[in-house]
């Protein structure tokens, strides 16, 4: 199999929507999360992202909470044959579409365990345009490691490498945004403040 640039990443509707809603809940902060999944048993050129976990909305660069969260998440999902397969990041500034040092560092950390892991970076302009159009492409930019181990955005054809498993995901996302569903998202930060808050968000899509 070739480099990460040849891989495709297929993200499920719930995993995708959960990450976007998390970023909307904390609009004025940088937020992050991890992608859960596996290499497709049918096609080793495809990474299947079946779930996601919202991590933090403050102090993203603090290592101890990050390490704790990654260990807990990995332990939970490994029993289901899944693992952490990538990283999601939303920048603090609306117009910022650059990968920050924090995003690259956490992406590097995850790629040590899953070398094919991508970083998905929220594109706020695409997200804002959702309500106006019928765009079915993800509101995220796909970033992968190139041959020299540097993170790069997969170019204009990036949409063909990052696929929404359910084509109607953006329609469902728009409905959730208009009904302010983002208010219901719990992340690891919330859980560390109040352990009764469940970072798995079991009732989010009920």
């Amino acid at each position: 199999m070739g480099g990460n640039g040849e891989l495709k990443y297929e993200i499920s509707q719930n995993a995708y929507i959960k990450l976007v809603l998390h970023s909307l809940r904390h609009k004025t902060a940088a937020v992050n999360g991890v992608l859960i999944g596996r290499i497709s048993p049918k096609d080793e050129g495809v990474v299947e992202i079946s779930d996601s976990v919202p991590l933090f909305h403050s102090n993203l660069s603090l290592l101890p909470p990050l390490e704790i969260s990654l260990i807990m998440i990995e332990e939970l999902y490994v029993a289901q044959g899944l693992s952490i397969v990538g990283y999601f990041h939303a920048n603090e500034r609306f117009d910022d579409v650059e990968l920050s040092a924090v995003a690259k560092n956490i992406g590097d950390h995850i790629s040590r365990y899953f070398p094919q892991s991508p970083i998905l970076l929220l594109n706020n302009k695409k997200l804002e345009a959702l309500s106006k159009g019928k765009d079915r492409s993800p509101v995220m930019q796909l970033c992968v490691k190139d041959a020299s181990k540097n993170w790069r955005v997969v170019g204009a054809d990036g949409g063909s490498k990052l696929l929404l498993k359910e084509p109607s995901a953006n329609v469902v996302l728009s409905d959730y945004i208009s009904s302010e569903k983002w208010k219901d998202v719990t992340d690891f930060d919330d859980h560390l403040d109040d352990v009764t808050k469940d970072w798995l968000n079991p009732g989010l899509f009920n």
Side-chain angles (χ1 to χ4, degrees):
M1 193 168 68
N4 287 4
E6 293 163 41
L7 282 170
K8 288 193 165 143
Y9 299 86
E10 182 186 75
I11 186 165
S12 75
Q13 179 171 292
N14 285 4
Y16 171 72
I17 289 175
K18 202 188 301 182
L19 294 169
V20 179
L21 292 180
H22 179 223
S23 67
L24 287 170
R25 184 169 173 207
H26 304 284
K27 270 188 172 178
T28 57
V31 306
N32 64 1
V34 289
L35 316 174
I36 309 296
R38 60 181 182 170
I39 299 278
S40 169
K42 301 187 197 108
D43 179 356
E44 64 173 31
V46 176
V47 176
E48 296 176 345
I49 302 162
S50 54
D51 204 352
S52 62
V53 177
L55 287 181
F56 303 105
H57 58 268
S58 63
N59 300 318
L60 268 58
S61 58
L62 279 184
L63 269 179
L66 176 69
E67 293 284 3
I68 291 165
S69 66
L70 294 181
I71 290 166
M72 285 176 68
I73 292 163
E74 192 71 39
E75 281 181 352
L76 182 85
Y77 281 98
V78 76
Q80 303 171 38
L82 302 170
S83 60
I84 296 170
V85 297
Y87 175 68
F88 169 79
H89 192 90
N91 285 322
E92 184 176 352
R93 287 204 338 270
F94 178 88
D95 58 350
D96 187 355
V97 288
E98 298 294 320
L99 273 185
S100 65
V102 170
K104 289 176 184 173
N105 287 342
I106 300 175
D108 285 343
H109 184 80
I110 291 169
S111 72
R112 280 187 212 125
Y113 302 95
F114 190 80
Q116 305 92 330
S117 67
I119 296 176
L120 301 185
L121 181 66
L122 184 71
N123 184 321
N124 279 305
K125 288 187 176 154
K126 283 193 82 171
L127 177 57
E128 190 181 49
L130 259 196
S131 58
K132 305 182 184 90
K134 299 274 191 286
D135 192 352
R136 291 186 165 217
S137 65
V139 296
M140 301 169 184
Q141 290 176 297
L142 173 67
C143 308
V144 298
K145 283 197 162 185
D146 60 22
S148 50
K149 304 290 184 199
N150 294 314
W151 290 102
R152 65 175 178 84
V153 174
V154 177
D157 65 335
S160 62
K161 304 281 187 192
L162 177 63
L163 310 165
L164 293 170
K165 188 176 180 187
E166 292 88 354
S168 60
N170 278 344
V171 177
V172 179
L173 173 59
S174 290
D175 287 345
Y176 280 145
I177 292 170
S178 54
S179 63
E180 301 191 339
K181 189 78 170 166
W182 42 268
K183 289 180 176 174
D184 301 332
V185 178
T186 297
D187 65 13
F188 233 93
D189 256 341
D190 299 322
H191 176 74
L192 292 174
D193 287 338
D194 178 355
V195 291
T196 64
K197 293 186 174 175
D198 192 343
W199 49 268
L200 285 171
N201 290 281
L204 188 62
F205 298 112
N206 290 353

